[in-house]
Short mmCIF file of all heavy atoms in Angstrom, two decimals:
data_model
loop_
_atom_site.label_atom_id
_atom_site.label_comp_id
_atom_site.label_asym_id
_atom_site.label_seq_id
_atom_site.Cartn_x
_atom_site.Cartn_y
_atom_site.Cartn_z
N GLU J 1 97.51 164.00 0.89
CA GLU J 1 97.37 162.56 0.79
C GLU J 1 97.30 161.94 2.17
O GLU J 1 97.94 162.43 3.10
CB GLU J 1 98.58 161.97 0.05
CG GLU J 1 98.64 162.31 -1.40
CD GLU J 1 99.78 161.58 -2.09
OE1 GLU J 1 100.02 160.41 -1.77
OE2 GLU J 1 100.40 162.20 -2.95
N SER J 2 96.55 160.87 2.30
CA SER J 2 96.52 160.17 3.57
C SER J 2 97.69 159.18 3.62
O SER J 2 98.29 158.85 2.60
CB SER J 2 95.19 159.43 3.76
OG SER J 2 95.14 158.30 2.91
N ILE J 3 98.01 158.71 4.82
CA ILE J 3 99.16 157.82 4.97
C ILE J 3 98.91 156.47 4.29
O ILE J 3 99.85 155.81 3.86
CB ILE J 3 99.55 157.63 6.44
CG1 ILE J 3 98.44 157.02 7.27
CG2 ILE J 3 100.02 158.92 7.05
CD1 ILE J 3 98.84 156.64 8.68
N SER J 4 97.65 156.06 4.16
CA SER J 4 97.37 154.78 3.49
C SER J 4 97.62 154.87 1.99
O SER J 4 97.94 153.86 1.36
CB SER J 4 95.93 154.34 3.76
OG SER J 4 95.02 155.29 3.27
N GLN J 5 97.51 156.05 1.40
CA GLN J 5 97.75 156.21 -0.03
C GLN J 5 99.23 156.08 -0.38
O GLN J 5 99.57 155.77 -1.51
CB GLN J 5 97.22 157.55 -0.52
CG GLN J 5 95.71 157.61 -0.53
CD GLN J 5 95.20 158.99 -0.93
OE1 GLN J 5 95.88 159.99 -0.74
NE2 GLN J 5 94.01 159.03 -1.49
N VAL J 6 100.13 156.30 0.57
CA VAL J 6 101.56 156.15 0.30
C VAL J 6 102.08 154.81 0.83
O VAL J 6 103.28 154.58 0.88
CB VAL J 6 102.39 157.32 0.90
CG1 VAL J 6 102.09 158.61 0.19
CG2 VAL J 6 102.18 157.44 2.39
N GLY J 7 101.18 153.93 1.26
CA GLY J 7 101.55 152.60 1.70
C GLY J 7 101.92 152.51 3.18
O GLY J 7 102.46 151.51 3.62
N MET J 8 101.62 153.53 3.94
CA MET J 8 101.97 153.55 5.36
C MET J 8 100.75 153.13 6.18
O MET J 8 99.64 153.60 5.95
CB MET J 8 102.41 154.96 5.75
CG MET J 8 103.21 155.03 7.01
SD MET J 8 103.74 156.71 7.42
CE MET J 8 104.47 157.30 5.92
N LYS J 9 100.97 152.22 7.14
CA LYS J 9 99.87 151.77 7.99
C LYS J 9 99.69 152.65 9.22
O LYS J 9 98.59 152.87 9.68
CB LYS J 9 100.12 150.33 8.45
CG LYS J 9 100.07 149.31 7.36
CD LYS J 9 100.31 147.94 7.91
CE LYS J 9 100.33 146.90 6.81
NZ LYS J 9 100.64 145.56 7.32
N ASN J 10 100.80 153.12 9.77
CA ASN J 10 100.74 153.88 11.01
C ASN J 10 101.88 154.90 11.04
O ASN J 10 102.97 154.62 10.56
CB ASN J 10 100.86 152.92 12.20
CG ASN J 10 100.49 153.55 13.50
OD1 ASN J 10 100.03 154.68 13.54
ND2 ASN J 10 100.69 152.83 14.59
N LEU J 11 101.62 156.06 11.61
CA LEU J 11 102.63 157.10 11.76
C LEU J 11 102.51 157.66 13.16
O LEU J 11 101.42 158.03 13.60
CB LEU J 11 102.43 158.22 10.73
CG LEU J 11 103.41 159.39 10.80
CD1 LEU J 11 104.81 158.92 10.47
CD2 LEU J 11 102.98 160.48 9.85
N ARG J 12 103.63 157.67 13.88
CA ARG J 12 103.61 158.15 15.27
C ARG J 12 104.75 159.14 15.48
O ARG J 12 105.90 158.86 15.17
CB ARG J 12 103.78 156.96 16.20
CG ARG J 12 103.78 157.32 17.64
CD ARG J 12 103.88 156.07 18.50
NE ARG J 12 104.69 156.39 19.65
CZ ARG J 12 105.33 155.51 20.38
NH1 ARG J 12 105.27 154.24 20.07
NH2 ARG J 12 106.02 155.88 21.41
N LEU J 13 104.41 160.31 16.02
CA LEU J 13 105.37 161.32 16.42
C LEU J 13 105.37 161.38 17.94
O LEU J 13 104.33 161.29 18.57
CB LEU J 13 104.98 162.69 15.88
CG LEU J 13 104.88 162.84 14.38
CD1 LEU J 13 104.22 164.16 14.03
CD2 LEU J 13 106.26 162.75 13.77
N TYR J 14 106.56 161.51 18.55
CA TYR J 14 106.59 161.60 20.00
C TYR J 14 107.73 162.48 20.47
O TYR J 14 108.67 162.75 19.74
CB TYR J 14 106.69 160.21 20.64
CG TYR J 14 107.93 159.42 20.26
CD1 TYR J 14 109.08 159.51 21.01
CD2 TYR J 14 107.92 158.58 19.15
CE1 TYR J 14 110.21 158.78 20.69
CE2 TYR J 14 109.04 157.86 18.82
CZ TYR J 14 110.18 157.95 19.58
OH TYR J 14 111.29 157.24 19.25
N MET J 15 107.61 162.93 21.73
CA MET J 15 108.61 163.76 22.36
C MET J 15 108.68 163.39 23.83
O MET J 15 107.66 163.11 24.46
CB MET J 15 108.26 165.24 22.24
CG MET J 15 109.33 166.15 22.82
SD MET J 15 108.78 167.84 23.01
CE MET J 15 108.36 167.82 24.72
N SER J 16 109.88 163.38 24.38
CA SER J 16 110.09 163.10 25.79
C SER J 16 111.10 164.12 26.32
O SER J 16 112.03 164.50 25.62
CB SER J 16 110.63 161.68 25.95
OG SER J 16 111.00 161.46 27.29
N ALA J 17 110.90 164.58 27.57
CA ALA J 17 111.82 165.57 28.15
C ALA J 17 112.08 165.23 29.62
O ALA J 17 111.16 164.87 30.35
CB ALA J 17 111.23 166.96 28.03
N ASP J 18 113.35 165.33 30.03
CA ASP J 18 113.75 165.09 31.41
C ASP J 18 114.59 166.27 31.90
O ASP J 18 115.45 166.77 31.17
CB ASP J 18 114.60 163.82 31.53
CG ASP J 18 113.82 162.57 31.23
OD1 ASP J 18 112.65 162.50 31.67
OD2 ASP J 18 114.37 161.67 30.58
N ASN J 19 114.35 166.69 33.13
CA ASN J 19 115.11 167.77 33.78
C ASN J 19 115.12 169.06 32.97
O ASN J 19 116.15 169.72 32.84
CB ASN J 19 116.55 167.31 34.06
CG ASN J 19 116.61 166.16 35.01
OD1 ASN J 19 115.83 166.08 35.94
ND2 ASN J 19 117.52 165.25 34.77
N VAL J 20 113.98 169.43 32.45
CA VAL J 20 113.89 170.63 31.62
C VAL J 20 113.87 171.89 32.48
O VAL J 20 114.53 172.88 32.15
CB VAL J 20 112.63 170.58 30.72
CG1 VAL J 20 112.50 171.85 29.91
CG2 VAL J 20 112.71 169.36 29.80
N PHE J 21 113.18 171.85 33.61
CA PHE J 21 113.07 173.02 34.48
C PHE J 21 113.61 172.71 35.87
O PHE J 21 113.42 171.61 36.38
CB PHE J 21 111.61 173.48 34.61
CG PHE J 21 110.98 173.82 33.30
CD1 PHE J 21 110.05 172.97 32.73
CD2 PHE J 21 111.32 174.98 32.63
CE1 PHE J 21 109.46 173.27 31.53
CE2 PHE J 21 110.75 175.29 31.42
CZ PHE J 21 109.81 174.43 30.87
N ASN J 22 114.28 173.68 36.45
CA ASN J 22 114.76 173.56 37.82
C ASN J 22 113.96 174.55 38.66
O ASN J 22 114.20 175.75 38.60
CB ASN J 22 116.26 173.87 37.88
CG ASN J 22 116.87 173.57 39.22
OD1 ASN J 22 116.18 173.14 40.14
ND2 ASN J 22 118.15 173.81 39.34
N SER J 23 113.01 174.05 39.43
CA SER J 23 112.09 174.94 40.14
C SER J 23 112.51 175.12 41.60
O SER J 23 111.79 174.75 42.52
CB SER J 23 110.67 174.40 40.06
OG SER J 23 110.61 173.14 40.67
N THR J 24 113.69 175.66 41.80
CA THR J 24 114.19 175.91 43.15
C THR J 24 114.93 177.25 43.17
O THR J 24 115.31 177.76 42.12
CB THR J 24 115.13 174.77 43.61
OG1 THR J 24 115.60 175.07 44.91
CG2 THR J 24 116.31 174.60 42.69
N ASP J 25 115.10 177.81 44.34
CA ASP J 25 115.83 179.07 44.47
C ASP J 25 117.33 178.84 44.62
O ASP J 25 118.08 179.79 44.81
CB ASP J 25 115.32 179.85 45.69
CG ASP J 25 113.89 180.33 45.50
OD1 ASP J 25 113.49 180.53 44.33
OD2 ASP J 25 113.18 180.52 46.50
N TYR J 26 117.75 177.60 44.53
CA TYR J 26 119.17 177.28 44.67
C TYR J 26 119.97 177.93 43.55
O TYR J 26 119.63 177.76 42.37
CB TYR J 26 119.35 175.77 44.65
CG TYR J 26 120.77 175.32 44.85
CD1 TYR J 26 121.38 175.43 46.09
CD2 TYR J 26 121.51 174.81 43.79
CE1 TYR J 26 122.68 175.03 46.28
CE2 TYR J 26 122.81 174.41 43.98
CZ TYR J 26 123.39 174.52 45.23
OH TYR J 26 124.68 174.13 45.42
N PRO J 27 121.03 178.68 43.84
CA PRO J 27 121.77 179.40 42.78
C PRO J 27 122.71 178.53 41.97
O PRO J 27 123.13 178.91 40.88
CB PRO J 27 122.56 180.45 43.57
CG PRO J 27 122.77 179.83 44.91
CD PRO J 27 121.53 179.01 45.18
N GLY J 28 123.05 177.34 42.45
CA GLY J 28 123.99 176.47 41.74
C GLY J 28 123.30 175.66 40.66
O GLY J 28 122.10 175.75 40.44
N GLY J 29 124.10 174.83 39.99
CA GLY J 29 123.56 174.04 38.89
C GLY J 29 122.79 172.81 39.30
O GLY J 29 121.91 172.36 38.60
N ASN J 30 123.11 172.23 40.48
CA ASN J 30 122.46 171.01 40.91
C ASN J 30 122.16 171.08 42.40
O ASN J 30 123.05 170.92 43.22
CB ASN J 30 123.36 169.80 40.61
CG ASN J 30 122.69 168.49 40.94
OD1 ASN J 30 121.58 168.44 41.43
ND2 ASN J 30 123.40 167.41 40.64
N PRO J 31 120.90 171.28 42.78
CA PRO J 31 120.57 171.38 44.20
C PRO J 31 120.74 170.07 44.95
O PRO J 31 120.73 170.04 46.16
CB PRO J 31 119.11 171.83 44.19
CG PRO J 31 118.59 171.39 42.89
CD PRO J 31 119.74 171.46 41.93
N GLU J 32 120.90 168.94 44.25
CA GLU J 32 121.07 167.65 44.89
C GLU J 32 122.53 167.24 45.02
O GLU J 32 122.84 166.13 45.42
CB GLU J 32 120.31 166.59 44.10
CG GLU J 32 118.81 166.85 44.08
CD GLU J 32 118.06 165.82 43.25
OE1 GLU J 32 118.69 164.89 42.73
OE2 GLU J 32 116.85 165.97 43.13
N ALA J 33 123.47 168.11 44.66
CA ALA J 33 124.90 167.77 44.70
C ALA J 33 125.39 167.65 46.13
O ALA J 33 124.97 168.40 47.01
CB ALA J 33 125.70 168.84 43.98
N ASN J 34 126.28 166.71 46.35
CA ASN J 34 126.92 166.58 47.65
C ASN J 34 128.02 167.63 47.75
O ASN J 34 128.66 167.96 46.76
CB ASN J 34 127.54 165.19 47.81
CG ASN J 34 126.49 164.13 47.89
OD1 ASN J 34 125.39 164.37 48.35
ND2 ASN J 34 126.82 162.95 47.43
N ASN J 35 128.28 168.09 48.96
CA ASN J 35 129.32 169.10 49.09
C ASN J 35 130.71 168.49 49.14
O ASN J 35 131.66 169.10 48.74
CB ASN J 35 129.07 170.03 50.28
CG ASN J 35 129.07 169.31 51.61
OD1 ASN J 35 129.15 168.09 51.66
ND2 ASN J 35 129.00 170.05 52.68
N SER J 36 130.86 167.29 49.64
CA SER J 36 132.14 166.58 49.62
C SER J 36 131.93 165.16 50.07
O SER J 36 130.87 164.80 50.57
CB SER J 36 133.17 167.27 50.52
OG SER J 36 132.79 167.14 51.87
N GLU J 37 132.94 164.32 49.90
CA GLU J 37 132.82 162.92 50.32
C GLU J 37 132.92 162.79 51.83
O GLU J 37 132.39 161.87 52.42
CB GLU J 37 133.91 162.09 49.65
CG GLU J 37 133.73 161.96 48.15
CD GLU J 37 134.81 161.13 47.51
OE1 GLU J 37 135.58 160.48 48.25
OE2 GLU J 37 134.90 161.14 46.28
N VAL J 38 133.64 163.69 52.47
CA VAL J 38 133.86 163.63 53.92
C VAL J 38 133.12 164.79 54.56
O VAL J 38 133.15 165.91 54.06
CB VAL J 38 135.37 163.72 54.24
CG1 VAL J 38 135.60 163.68 55.73
CG2 VAL J 38 136.13 162.63 53.52
N GLU J 39 132.42 164.52 55.65
CA GLU J 39 131.73 165.59 56.36
C GLU J 39 132.74 166.59 56.90
O GLU J 39 133.68 166.22 57.59
CB GLU J 39 130.90 165.01 57.52
CG GLU J 39 129.69 164.26 57.07
CD GLU J 39 128.66 165.16 56.44
OE1 GLU J 39 128.45 166.30 56.93
OE2 GLU J 39 128.05 164.75 55.45
N ASN J 40 132.56 167.84 56.56
CA ASN J 40 133.48 168.88 57.02
C ASN J 40 132.63 170.07 57.43
O ASN J 40 131.98 170.69 56.60
CB ASN J 40 134.45 169.26 55.90
CG ASN J 40 135.50 170.25 56.35
OD1 ASN J 40 135.42 170.83 57.43
ND2 ASN J 40 136.49 170.44 55.52
N THR J 41 132.62 170.41 58.67
CA THR J 41 131.77 171.50 59.16
C THR J 41 132.24 172.87 58.70
O THR J 41 131.49 173.82 58.72
CB THR J 41 131.70 171.48 60.70
OG1 THR J 41 133.02 171.58 61.22
CG2 THR J 41 131.04 170.21 61.19
N LEU J 42 133.49 172.97 58.22
CA LEU J 42 133.99 174.26 57.75
C LEU J 42 133.47 174.61 56.36
O LEU J 42 133.44 175.77 55.97
CB LEU J 42 135.53 174.27 57.74
CG LEU J 42 136.19 174.12 59.11
CD1 LEU J 42 137.71 174.03 58.92
CD2 LEU J 42 135.83 175.28 60.01
N THR J 43 133.09 173.61 55.57
CA THR J 43 132.60 173.86 54.21
C THR J 43 131.15 173.45 54.04
O THR J 43 130.72 173.13 52.94
CB THR J 43 133.46 173.11 53.19
OG1 THR J 43 133.39 171.72 53.48
CG2 THR J 43 134.89 173.59 53.19
N GLU J 44 130.39 173.46 55.08
CA GLU J 44 128.99 173.05 55.00
C GLU J 44 128.22 173.97 54.06
O GLU J 44 128.33 175.19 54.12
CB GLU J 44 128.38 173.11 56.40
CG GLU J 44 127.10 172.34 56.52
CD GLU J 44 126.70 172.23 57.97
OE1 GLU J 44 127.48 171.68 58.77
OE2 GLU J 44 125.60 172.71 58.30
N GLY J 45 127.46 173.38 53.15
CA GLY J 45 126.65 174.16 52.21
C GLY J 45 127.38 174.56 50.95
O GLY J 45 126.84 175.24 50.10
N VAL J 46 128.63 174.13 50.76
CA VAL J 46 129.40 174.45 49.55
C VAL J 46 129.36 173.23 48.64
O VAL J 46 129.64 172.12 49.07
CB VAL J 46 130.86 174.81 49.90
CG1 VAL J 46 131.66 175.09 48.65
CG2 VAL J 46 130.89 176.00 50.84
N ASP J 47 129.03 173.43 47.36
CA ASP J 47 128.94 172.28 46.47
C ASP J 47 130.11 172.17 45.50
O ASP J 47 130.15 171.30 44.66
CB ASP J 47 127.63 172.28 45.70
CG ASP J 47 127.53 173.40 44.69
OD1 ASP J 47 128.45 174.21 44.57
OD2 ASP J 47 126.49 173.47 44.01
N TYR J 48 131.09 173.03 45.58
CA TYR J 48 132.30 172.98 44.75
C TYR J 48 131.99 172.95 43.26
O TYR J 48 132.62 172.25 42.49
CB TYR J 48 133.17 171.79 45.13
CG TYR J 48 133.67 171.87 46.55
CD1 TYR J 48 133.13 171.05 47.53
CD2 TYR J 48 134.65 172.79 46.91
CE1 TYR J 48 133.57 171.13 48.84
CE2 TYR J 48 135.09 172.88 48.22
CZ TYR J 48 134.55 172.05 49.18
OH TYR J 48 134.98 172.15 50.47
N ALA J 49 131.00 173.71 42.84
CA ALA J 49 130.65 173.87 41.42
C ALA J 49 130.43 172.53 40.73
O ALA J 49 131.00 172.25 39.69
CB ALA J 49 131.70 174.70 40.69
N GLY J 50 129.59 171.70 41.31
CA GLY J 50 129.25 170.41 40.70
C GLY J 50 128.52 170.62 39.38
O GLY J 50 127.93 171.66 39.12
N TYR J 51 128.60 169.62 38.54
CA TYR J 51 127.94 169.71 37.24
C TYR J 51 126.43 169.77 37.41
O TYR J 51 125.86 169.09 38.26
CB TYR J 51 128.28 168.50 36.37
CG TYR J 51 129.71 168.49 35.91
CD1 TYR J 51 130.62 167.58 36.41
CD2 TYR J 51 130.15 169.40 34.96
CE1 TYR J 51 131.94 167.58 36.00
CE2 TYR J 51 131.45 169.42 34.54
CZ TYR J 51 132.35 168.49 35.05
OH TYR J 51 133.63 168.50 34.64
N PRO J 52 125.75 170.55 36.59
CA PRO J 52 124.28 170.61 36.67
C PRO J 52 123.67 169.33 36.10
O PRO J 52 124.33 168.56 35.40
CB PRO J 52 123.93 171.81 35.79
CG PRO J 52 125.07 171.96 34.86
CD PRO J 52 126.29 171.48 35.60
N LEU J 53 122.41 169.10 36.43
CA LEU J 53 121.71 167.96 35.88
C LEU J 53 121.57 168.12 34.37
O LEU J 53 121.35 169.23 33.86
CB LEU J 53 120.32 167.84 36.50
CG LEU J 53 120.27 167.55 37.99
CD1 LEU J 53 118.84 167.64 38.50
CD2 LEU J 53 120.86 166.20 38.30
N SER J 54 121.71 167.03 33.64
CA SER J 54 121.58 167.08 32.19
C SER J 54 120.13 167.28 31.80
O SER J 54 119.23 166.66 32.36
CB SER J 54 122.08 165.78 31.57
OG SER J 54 123.43 165.58 31.85
N ARG J 55 119.92 168.12 30.82
CA ARG J 55 118.58 168.27 30.23
C ARG J 55 118.55 167.40 28.99
O ARG J 55 119.42 167.50 28.14
CB ARG J 55 118.32 169.73 29.85
CG ARG J 55 118.16 170.61 31.04
CD ARG J 55 117.77 172.02 30.62
NE ARG J 55 117.57 172.82 31.80
CZ ARG J 55 118.37 173.80 32.18
NH1 ARG J 55 119.42 174.10 31.46
NH2 ARG J 55 118.13 174.47 33.28
N VAL J 56 117.53 166.57 28.91
CA VAL J 56 117.43 165.64 27.79
C VAL J 56 116.07 165.83 27.13
O VAL J 56 115.03 165.73 27.78
CB VAL J 56 117.57 164.18 28.27
CG1 VAL J 56 117.43 163.22 27.10
CG2 VAL J 56 118.88 163.97 28.99
N VAL J 57 116.09 166.11 25.83
CA VAL J 57 114.86 166.22 25.04
C VAL J 57 115.02 165.27 23.86
O VAL J 57 116.00 165.34 23.13
CB VAL J 57 114.62 167.66 24.55
CG1 VAL J 57 113.36 167.73 23.71
CG2 VAL J 57 114.54 168.62 25.72
N THR J 58 114.06 164.38 23.71
CA THR J 58 114.10 163.38 22.65
C THR J 58 112.87 163.52 21.76
O THR J 58 111.75 163.61 22.26
CB THR J 58 114.12 161.96 23.25
OG1 THR J 58 115.19 161.86 24.17
CG2 THR J 58 114.26 160.90 22.19
N PHE J 59 113.11 163.57 20.46
CA PHE J 59 112.04 163.61 19.49
C PHE J 59 112.12 162.33 18.67
O PHE J 59 113.20 161.81 18.42
CB PHE J 59 112.18 164.82 18.54
CG PHE J 59 112.03 166.14 19.22
CD1 PHE J 59 113.14 166.83 19.66
CD2 PHE J 59 110.77 166.68 19.42
CE1 PHE J 59 113.02 168.05 20.29
CE2 PHE J 59 110.64 167.90 20.05
CZ PHE J 59 111.76 168.58 20.49
N GLY J 60 110.97 161.83 18.25
CA GLY J 60 111.01 160.61 17.47
C GLY J 60 109.88 160.53 16.46
O GLY J 60 108.85 161.22 16.58
N LEU J 61 110.09 159.70 15.49
CA LEU J 61 109.13 159.44 14.43
C LEU J 61 109.15 157.94 14.17
O LEU J 61 110.22 157.37 13.95
CB LEU J 61 109.51 160.21 13.17
CG LEU J 61 108.74 159.90 11.89
CD1 LEU J 61 107.31 160.42 12.00
CD2 LEU J 61 109.42 160.53 10.70
N LYS J 62 107.99 157.31 14.22
CA LYS J 62 107.90 155.89 13.95
C LYS J 62 106.86 155.66 12.86
O LYS J 62 105.72 156.09 12.99
CB LYS J 62 107.50 155.13 15.21
CG LYS J 62 107.41 153.64 15.01
CD LYS J 62 107.05 152.92 16.29
CE LYS J 62 106.93 151.44 16.04
NZ LYS J 62 106.56 150.72 17.26
N ALA J 63 107.29 155.03 11.80
CA ALA J 63 106.39 154.74 10.68
C ALA J 63 106.33 153.24 10.45
O ALA J 63 107.35 152.54 10.48
CB ALA J 63 106.87 155.43 9.41
N THR J 64 105.12 152.72 10.24
CA THR J 64 104.92 151.30 9.93
C THR J 64 104.37 151.20 8.53
O THR J 64 103.38 151.86 8.18
CB THR J 64 103.91 150.68 10.93
OG1 THR J 64 104.38 150.92 12.26
CG2 THR J 64 103.78 149.19 10.71
N PHE J 65 105.02 150.35 7.73
CA PHE J 65 104.59 150.17 6.34
C PHE J 65 104.00 148.80 6.14
O PHE J 65 104.27 147.86 6.82
CB PHE J 65 105.77 150.34 5.37
CG PHE J 65 106.28 151.75 5.33
CD1 PHE J 65 107.28 152.17 6.20
CD2 PHE J 65 105.76 152.66 4.43
CE1 PHE J 65 107.76 153.47 6.16
CE2 PHE J 65 106.22 153.96 4.39
CZ PHE J 65 107.23 154.36 5.26
#
């Protein structure tokens, strides 16, 4: 059946994705993490296991009747 036969004028499916792939050789979870609030030359390059960037995938369906 077509969408007009069930009384629907428009049907839209969509998907959005953010931070799905991390394309770097950095071994930690977040290559943009700060290592500390205060500059410390003894711990330079250490990120203290900061949280990785969130991956967000959104699916949606919009119907107009």
Side-chain angles (χ1 to χ4, degrees):
E1 290 186 39
S2 73
I3 61 172
S4 61
Q5 290 176 333
V6 292
M8 199 179 310
K9 293 181 183 177
N10 193 7
L11 179 65
R12 180 177 143 202
L13 300 169
Y14 61 91
M15 183 193 98
S16 173
D18 293 320
N19 298 323
V20 177
F21 302 107
N22 188 0
S23 62
T24 179
D25 293 333
Y26 182 72
N30 185 357
E32 297 178 2
N34 292 330
N35 62 354
S36 68
E37 292 180 11
V38 180
E39 288 293 321
N40 185 348
T41 58
L42 296 176
T43 59
E44 197 169 301
V46 178
D47 69 359
Y48 297 106
Y51 290 109
L53 295 173
S54 298
R55 290 186 178 110
V56 179
V57 179
T58 305
F59 295 95
L61 171 70
K62 181 178 178 181
T64 306
F65 292 89

